Amino acid sequence: MKVTFPHMGNVWIIIKTLFEMLNVEVIVPPLTSKKTLDLGTKISPESACLPFKINLGNYIEAAQEGADTIAITGGIGPCRFGYYGELQRQILKDAGYSYEAVILEPPDGSIPGLLKRIRYLAGNHNSWGRIMKTIYFAYQKSVAIDRVEDLIHAARPRLENKPATELLYQKALASLVSVTSYRGLEEVVRSVQQEIAERQAVQNYQSGSGSDPLRIGIVGEIYTILDPFSSADIEKQLGFLGAEVDRSIYLSGWVGKHVFQGLAKGYRSMKSYPRLAKPYLGHFVGGHGQETVGSAVKFAQKGYDGIIQILPLTCMPEIVAAGILPRIQEACNIPVMTLTVDEHTGNAGIQTRLEAFVDLLERSNCLRKKVPKELVSLERMC
Amino acid sequence: MSYFLGADVGSVSTNLVLIDADNKVKEALYLRTKGQPMQAIQKGIKMLRTRIGLKAQIMGVGTTGSARQLAATLLGADVIKNEITAHAVAASRLYPQVRTILEIGGQDSKIIILRDGIVVDFAMNTVCAAGTGSFLDQQAARLGLPIGEFASLAVKADNPVRIAGRCSVFAESDMIHKQQLGHSLPDIVAGLCQAMVRNYLNNIGKNKRILGPILFQGGVAANPGIHRAFENELGQEITIPEHFSVMGALGAAYLAQEKVGLTAKPTHFRGLEMAESSFQAGSFDCSGCANNCEIIRIKQNEEILAQWGDRCGKWSGNIGKEEDNKAAGHK
C-alpha cells in the first residue's frame, strides 16, 4: 500500500510526518502547479470548485509516482466536500486510475467505523497508543508551522530584503519536514524568531524603525485561504505591498476542532467565531460560512484596516457569507473585498485588486491622519 | 514648458495625457492599442512630440492600465498604479464631491465608491466580460457600423426591445433573433444598452450604495445610449467628465506629480527620443523550480530593461547588461 493525499498549503508536511512515523509508505504528490490544475480540470465536472480540481490533479500526479491509496477526510454535511472522496475515486476509476480511497469520516456518526479505517491505514504493526501519540505529535507540528507562518506574516511588510524573508520561510519549512522531536519543533520556531529579530535590529539601526504596516484579515473558504497556489499567493503579495496579514483559519485550529473535537484548541482557536457571527448569521450554513462571518467581526473589533474574503467559484457556504459581509462592512466601518477564484483566475487580475485595496486603505489612513501606533514588537507573537 | 505625463495602456486603447503646471490638461491622446502596446506607446510619444516640440520638459511620468508595467519600462515611469486608484484620483481631483464612479473600459468595468474624497469601496468585473467596450465594438463590427455611429443609434429609438444581457454570447444571439423578427436597428441597439446597464448594476454594482454625484467615465461613456440607460435606471443625473476616455491616464499624471512633488527626485523618464528606440520583448519559461514561471523580458539593444513574471524574484531583481546576468549564474 502506498498512501497519498491531496495538497492544501503546508498540510503535506504534517501528513507526511504522520505516515512516516507510523512506518507507512507515503507518496507526497508533486507540489501543486499549473500542470496539476490542468490535469485535474480535464476530468472534473465544470462546476465543481477549485479545490476539487486541484485534488484530482494531485492524485493523478501521485499515481504517476506509484501511489495506490488515497487518504482524505470527509464529514457529514460540511459542504459538498463531504462526498468528494467517493466522487473523486469514481472519476479517477473512469479515467483509468484504480485508486482505493480511505475516507476518514465517522459514517452515521459511528466511531468504530472511523477507527477501523485508521487501523487499515496504519497497518497492524502499530499499537493504538503509538497511533495516538503520533497524531498528537503531528498536531504539535501543525502548531509549529502556524507559528512560523505568523512570524513570516509579521516580517514580510517590515523587513526590507523581501527575497531573504522568503528564503528564511522556505528554510524553516524544510527543516520542519524532517523534525521528529518536540524540542526540534521548538528550535525551528525559535530560530526563525531570532533571525527576524536580528534582521529587524540591523535594519532599525541603519534606517530607523519604519512606520506601522497596514493590517489585513483574510477570511473565507478553508482550502483557498490555506493554499497559496489557489489564492495566487495573496499573503505574500500583500506582504510585499506592505501589509501584515492574519487569517481566520489556521491549520492547527482546524485540526484541534475537528480531530480532537475541541480538546486541543490549536494555535488559533476558532471557538469564538459562531458567537461573534450570531448577530448576522445565527446558525451553521455548511462549510465555514459562519466562521467567515464571525472572523470578519473579530478582525473588525481588533481594529484591522481591512478584510479580504477568498472563495472558490460556486462555493455555497461562502456565497452566503459574501452576502452578509457588506452588513459588517457598514456596521463596523471596515472595507471588505471579496475575491472569487477558479481555474481561469489570472494573477494579474488579483494583483490589480490587491494593489487597489491596499491603496484604498493607505490613502484613507493617511487622510484620516491616524496617530501612528507603537511599533509592534515581534516577540508578542510567541 | 514643463509637463507631467500620464499613460494608461489598456486592452483596447492606449491613452496619453499631458498636464501642465496649473493642473490643466494640455494634450490628451486616445489611440487604439491593437494588440501592440509597445508600438502604440511609441506612436503616442511621437504624436505628442510634434505637438509640444522637443524643447518641452517632462517632469514626471505615471503609468496605469493592464500594461502598466510594460509602459513603465518603456517610458521610465516614476509611479506605477492600478487602474482603480488612477481613475479615482482623476475623478476626485476634478469633482471633489463625487461619491460614485461608473467606469466601463475595453475589457473591464468597475465601480468606485467614494466618501469625502476617499475611496471606500470598489468592485471590478471578475469572471465575465459581458457589457464592456469590446463587446460593443464586436457588435458594431457585426452590423458593419463604425462604433461612433452605432452609439448614436440608440438615441433614435422609440421602443427599445428587451435583450438578454446576462451573457454576451446569448445577448448576441438574442439580438440576431430580434433583427430577424423585424425590429428596427435603433430599438435593438437601445435594448442592448439597457441590457448592458442592467447587467452592470447586477454584477458590479451589487451590494453597493450608489449615491450622487455620479460620474460616468471610460471609453464607453462616449455612448449616449448607455449614458441615458444609466440615468433611467438610477433615476438621477449622471455627469460625463470632459476627458472621460482618458481619466486613467489623467489620474496617472496627477499621481506622478504627487510622487515627484513629494520626493523631489528627478524623473526616470527616458526622454521623448524613446519613440525612436528599438525595444524587444521576449518570454521564456524558467526551469528553476516546479512553478515553471513564464518570464517576460524587455530589452533595448543588448540591455535588459526589465523582467517580470517570476514568483521568486530571481529574474525581476536582475536587470542590466545580459553579460552581467550570465556572470551571476543565470542563463
Side-chain angles (χ1 to χ4, degrees), chain A residues 236 352-353 359-360 363-364, chain B residues 81-82 85 125 258 311:
Chain A
K236 192 162 115 187
T352 299
R353 286 171 180 78
D359 274 349
L360 178 166
R363 286 196 156 244
S364 61
Chain B
K81 271 291 172 206
N82 59 83
T85 308
N125 59 334
E258 240 175 59
R311 286 165 76 164

Side-chain angles (χ1 to χ4, degrees), chain A residues 33 163 228-229 233 236 313 322 326 329-330 335-337 342 351-353 355-357 359-360 363-364 367, chain B residues 68 80-85 89 117-122 124-127 207 209 255 258 290-291 311-313:
Chain A
S33 65
F229 177 83
D233 240 339
K236 192 162 115 187
L313 189 71
Q329 175 169 9
E330 190 125 327
V336 180
M337 175 169 75
D342 74 349
Q351 184 68 27
T352 299
R353 286 171 180 78
E355 281 176 22
F357 193 67
D359 274 349
L360 178 166
R363 286 196 156 244
S364 61
L367 286 173
Chain B
R68 56 186 178 277
I80 309 173
K81 271 291 172 206
N82 59 83
E83 305 88 293
I84 296 162
T85 308
V89 164
I118 298 170
V119 178
V120 294
D121 200 3
F122 65 85
M124 206 168 160
N125 59 334
T126 45
V127 278
N207 290 327
R209 284 183 64 194
L255 284 163
E258 240 175 59
N291 285 331
R311 286 165 76 164
C312 65

Side-chain angles (χ1 to χ4, degrees), chain A residues 212-223:
Chain A
D212 227 12
L214 292 169
R215 290 193 303 161
I216 297 177
I218 296 179
V219 303
E221 190 273 330
I222 177 167
Y223 189 95

